[in-house]
């Protein structure tokens, strides 16, 4: 049996002395630009200043009171385009030689403080008396979790309905475990359970008006955060092929008890991953770590158009990935037993800028070629599941089946039903889902207060 310990576990974060040394680099800006760069208002300027002044519990309190998933965000936020992008230490570095200075490592400090709280048994949030209305969350990803925690702290009785066996959404069944592991997630969810939030796992809200019925069943308000769990296929009418995997199922298989089976499917094989975003990078990096012989990343545009974060791309490159840029997959070919044999491709060049703001790939006539591959993972995009509008038919959705909600409050077209996270924004970030959950929690409280006044 293979040992998957390093695959299933994150690298250690900052030690106490590293975190303090990093906080001591802070320029203590008066206008706190880093805090303005945080979508969830986690207030990095405040917690870094407190750590610098050795007020450790105060620093932890700032994070947990502002962001119940402060640990997850500290690890997973693309900080170089959020809080750290605004860091004055980095702006200063523009006038210095390379390597002289850099942004404060805000995410790493944030992770350290949350882990320090767990290690020392310091609990910031106490279970409040829960004597207010009952509210339902659909989905236990970052959106549902943050909304649940905010409402529970305000005294509401909150039930989270989750289709899968364990809570966490993408944090549990998507992100590669060596980037975000289960032990850490369990502790962070433990902080939410300690607030009195009830989790009903293996409980999919479905069927005609499934979500709307929750209001009839006694819940005073509902927050919809089911995320996007259908991987967009290359061809909508694709027949199943042995060795053709969707990113959603492949990544879930690494975390739902099928790891050994998937590892033996990948080991020694030629794997091609189609896509250029964060999900494709997780697929590539995991396939490399599971011992694939060769891993190709097939992307139809060029390097600069890839939506993935630069540091993710660099870390996959270090793992030995082969880039196949400017190549459009057209179809697959199989052997006589319907096993994947490879991808029919055509080379592309970049044309004019398209609706996405990036230069569009244009196929080069006559440049078709075949890439041999044993396994192909499609990581082209994530979308709402086909049946989703059935269980909230009165809630206005777009052509892409995403929910239309007020971006400030999460209000939908049905009174009492709110929504946020990826199902509203499209594929986004953990910190944005946290922000939506917080905003909806506030709007739900205002809505319920008004109901009480009537
Ligand atoms: C592979 C991958 C890697 C990523 N890496 C990063 C990263 O490094 N950094 C970052 O910031 N973001 C990352 N993201 C994006 C981030 O994870 C998402 O933006 C975020 O998880 C969205 O949160 P959410 O609450 O909207 O939904 P989700 O996390 O998708 O959770 C939704 C939950 O709802 C449940 N559900 C769905 N339908 C129902 C139903 N009918 N009844 C009950 N439950 C239901 C699902 O099972 C799921 O648990 C990544 C995404 C993916 C897919
Ligand atoms: S939550 Fe994310 S963006 Fe906000 S301060 Fe923390 S690491 Fe930065």
């Amino acid at each position: 049996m293979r040992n998957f310990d390093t695959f299933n576990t994150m690298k250690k974060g900052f030690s106490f002395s590293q975190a303090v040394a990093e906080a001591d680099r802070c320029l203590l800006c008066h206008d706190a630009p880093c805090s303005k760069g945080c979508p969830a208002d986690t207030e990095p300027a405040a917690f870094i200043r407190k750590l610098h002044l050795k007020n450790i519990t105060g620093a932890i309190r700032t994070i947990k009171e502002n962001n119940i998933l402060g640990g997850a965000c500290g690890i997973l936020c693309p900080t170089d385009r959020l809080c750290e992008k605004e860091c004055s230490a980095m702006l200063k570095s523009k006038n210095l030689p390379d390597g002289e200075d850099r942004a404060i490592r805000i995410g790493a400090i944030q992770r350290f403080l949350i882990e320090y709280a767990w290690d020392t048994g310091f609990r910031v949030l106490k279970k409040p008396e829960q004597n207010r209305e009952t509210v339902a969350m659909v989905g236990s990803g970052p959106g549902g979790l943050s909304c649940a925690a905010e409402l529970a702290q305000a005294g509401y009785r909150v039930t989270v309905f989750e289709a899968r066996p364990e809570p966490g959404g993408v944090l549990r069944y998507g992100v590669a475990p060596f980037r975000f592991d289960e032990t850490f997630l369990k502790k962070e969810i433990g902080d939410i359970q300690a607030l009195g939030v009830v989790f009903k796992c293996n409980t999919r809200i479905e069927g005609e008006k499934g979500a709307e019925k929750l209001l009839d069943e006694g819940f005073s308000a509902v927050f919809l955060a089911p995320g996007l769990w259908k991987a967009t296929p290359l061809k909508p009418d694709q027949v199943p092929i042995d060795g053709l995997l969707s990113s959603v199922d492949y990544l879930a298989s690494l975390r739902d008890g099928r790891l050994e089976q998937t590892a033996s499917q990948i080991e020694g094989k030629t794997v091609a991953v189609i896509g250029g975003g964060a999900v494709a990078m997780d697929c590539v990096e995991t396939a490399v770590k599971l011992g694939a012989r060769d891993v190709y990343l097939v992307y139809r545009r060029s390097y600069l158009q890839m939506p993935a974060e630069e540091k993710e791309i660099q870390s996959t490159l270090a793992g030995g990935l082969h880039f196949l840029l400017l190549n459009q997959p057209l179809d697959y070919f199989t052997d006589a037993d319907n096993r994947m044999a490879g991808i029919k491709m055509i080379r592309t060049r970049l044309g004019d800028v398209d609706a996405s703001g990036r230069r569009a790939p244009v196929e080069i006539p006559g440049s078709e070629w075949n890439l041999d591959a044993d396994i192909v993972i499609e990581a082209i995009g994530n979308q709402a599941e086909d049946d989703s509008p059935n269980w909230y038919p009165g809630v206005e959705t777009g052509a892409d089946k995403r929910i239309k909600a007020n971006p400030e409050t999460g209000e939908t077209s049905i009174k009492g039903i709110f929504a946020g996270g990826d199902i509203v924004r499209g594929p986004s970030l953990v910190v944005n889902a946290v922000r939506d959950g917080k905003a909806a929690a506030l709007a739900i409280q205002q809505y319920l207060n008004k109901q009480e006044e009537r």
Side-chain angles (χ1 to χ4, degrees):
M1 199 169 138
R2 276 177 69 180
N3 183 340
F4 292 107
D5 285 355
T6 52
F7 189 85
N8 283 329
T9 320
M10 293 187 293
K11 287 201 181 114
K12 276 196 179 331
F14 272 168
S15 63
F16 186 91
S17 53
Q18 282 173 315
V20 171
E22 193 63 11
D24 288 349
R25 291 183 56 241
C26 179
L27 303 178
L28 307 174
C29 307
H30 180 63
D31 56 346
C34 57
S35 287
K36 292 181 192 138
C38 175
D41 291 330
T42 312
E43 296 288 349
F47 70 73
I48 291 173
R49 185 181 292 262
K50 286 177 186 172
L51 178 59
H52 169 71
L53 296 171
K54 310 290 182 297
N55 175 4
I56 318 280
T57 52
I60 297 166
R61 185 174 294 284
T62 299
I63 300 172
K64 271 289 179 190
E65 282 179 350
N66 290 319
N67 181 345
I68 193 72
L69 294 180
C73 287
I75 293 165
L76 293 171
C77 277
T79 47
D80 45 4
R81 64 181 163 100
L82 298 169
C83 52
E84 291 178 16
K85 181 173 170 231
E86 307 301 330
C87 175
S88 303
M90 170 148 113
L91 297 180
K92 190 176 142 217
S93 73
K94 287 188 178 156
N95 300 321
L96 291 169
D98 275 357
E100 257 328 93
D101 214 340
R102 55 180 172 73
I104 308 294
R105 290 186 56 199
I106 297 171
I109 294 177
Q110 192 170 302
R111 170 185 174 179
F112 160 76
L113 286 165
I114 296 302
E115 287 187 309
Y116 188 82
W118 293 330
D119 291 348
T120 55
F122 175 62
R123 196 173 277 284
V124 175
L125 306 172
K126 307 271 180 297
K127 184 178 172 185
E129 200 183 328
Q130 264 137 8
N131 53 8
R132 307 203 62 183
E133 293 94 325
T134 51
V135 184
M137 308 286 118
V138 182
S140 67
L145 291 175
S146 78
C147 189
E150 293 288 323
L151 288 170
Q153 286 175 77
Y156 292 88
R157 283 166 290 186
V158 183
T159 303
V160 180
F161 293 98
E162 169 53 53
R164 292 180 178 250
E166 302 276 344
V170 172
L171 301 178
R172 177 65 181 75
Y173 292 103
V175 180
F178 47 81
R179 287 212 296 124
F180 189 72
D181 66 34
E182 218 171 301
T183 311
F184 196 101
L185 175 65
K186 277 193 173 146
K187 288 184 184 163
E188 199 128 75
I189 289 181
D191 287 346
I192 300 170
Q193 281 163 328
L195 295 172
V197 172
V198 174
F199 287 85
K200 291 203 169 164
C201 291
N202 287 315
T203 310
R204 177 178 286 277
I205 300 301
E206 58 190 349
E208 187 63 20
K209 293 191 174 185
E212 293 163 39
K213 278 184 197 157
L214 291 169
L215 292 176
D216 306 333
E217 286 165 13
F219 289 99
S220 304
V222 176
F223 180 61
L224 302 178
L228 302 169
W229 284 85
K230 184 183 171 200
T232 309
L234 179 66
K235 293 180 0 179
D237 53 354
Q238 179 64 56
V239 290
I241 297 173
D242 185 4
L244 175 61
L245 311 176
S246 82
S247 59
V248 168
D249 190 51
Y250 166 71
L251 291 170
S253 78
L254 309 178
R255 306 199 60 170
D256 66 4
R258 292 179 287 157
L259 173 59
E260 210 156 330
Q261 183 191 329
T262 302
S264 59
Q265 195 182 4
I266 298 282
E267 192 174 9
K269 301 286 176 36
T270 299
V271 176
V273 175
I274 304 175
V279 179
M281 290 303 143
D282 267 14
C283 294
V284 162
E285 206 171 353
T286 48
V288 169
K289 283 188 195 285
L290 291 178
R293 183 169 177 270
D294 283 297
V295 182
Y296 293 93
L297 182 88
V298 180
Y299 183 54
R300 62 195 181 136
R301 302 182 203 239
S302 190
Y303 191 90
L304 286 181
Q305 284 81 36
M306 286 176 69
E309 301 296 323
E310 181 65 24
K311 66 179 176 203
E312 279 174 329
I313 300 174
Q314 291 304 326
S315 100
T316 51
L317 259 179
L321 158 76
H322 313 305
F323 271 112
L324 276 176
L325 302 173
L326 294 167
N327 272 288
Q328 169 73 57
L330 297 174
D331 206 347
Y332 304 112
F333 55 96
T334 58
D335 67 10
D337 296 322
N338 193 37
R339 280 192 304 244
M340 178 61 75
I343 313 178
K344 295 180 183 173
M345 309 254 261
I346 186 163
R347 292 189 214 284
T348 60
R349 62 177 174 76
L350 291 181
D352 294 333
V353 173
D354 65 14
S356 74
R358 296 168 298 167
R359 290 181 64 192
V362 180
E363 293 177 3
I364 301 173
S367 67
E368 291 85 352
W369 66 288
N370 287 350
L371 171 73
D372 292 341
D374 308 306
I375 306 280
V376 175
I377 305 170
E378 294 182 334
I380 303 163
N382 284 21
Q383 57 193 64
E385 291 188 60
D386 289 336
D387 72 332
S388 47
N390 295 343
W391 51 273
Y392 42 80
V395 174
E396 197 184 344
T397 54
D400 50 12
K401 300 201 180 96
R402 295 215 301 261
I403 294 176
K404 290 192 175 174
N406 180 324
E408 299 305 321
T409 61
E411 284 164 297
T412 69
S413 52
I414 293 196
K415 278 210 178 333
I417 298 194
F418 300 75
D422 284 7
I423 193 66
V424 174
R425 292 172 176 268
S428 187
L429 296 173
V430 174
V431 70
N432 286 332
V434 168
R435 182 250 160 234
D436 290 353
K438 281 175 71 175
L442 201 62
I444 288 171
Q445 290 178 63
Q446 285 164 356
Y447 165 77
L448 293 176
N449 287 342
K450 270 197 202 142
Q451 298 291 105
E452 264 177 31
E453 284 164 17
R454 285 197 182 146

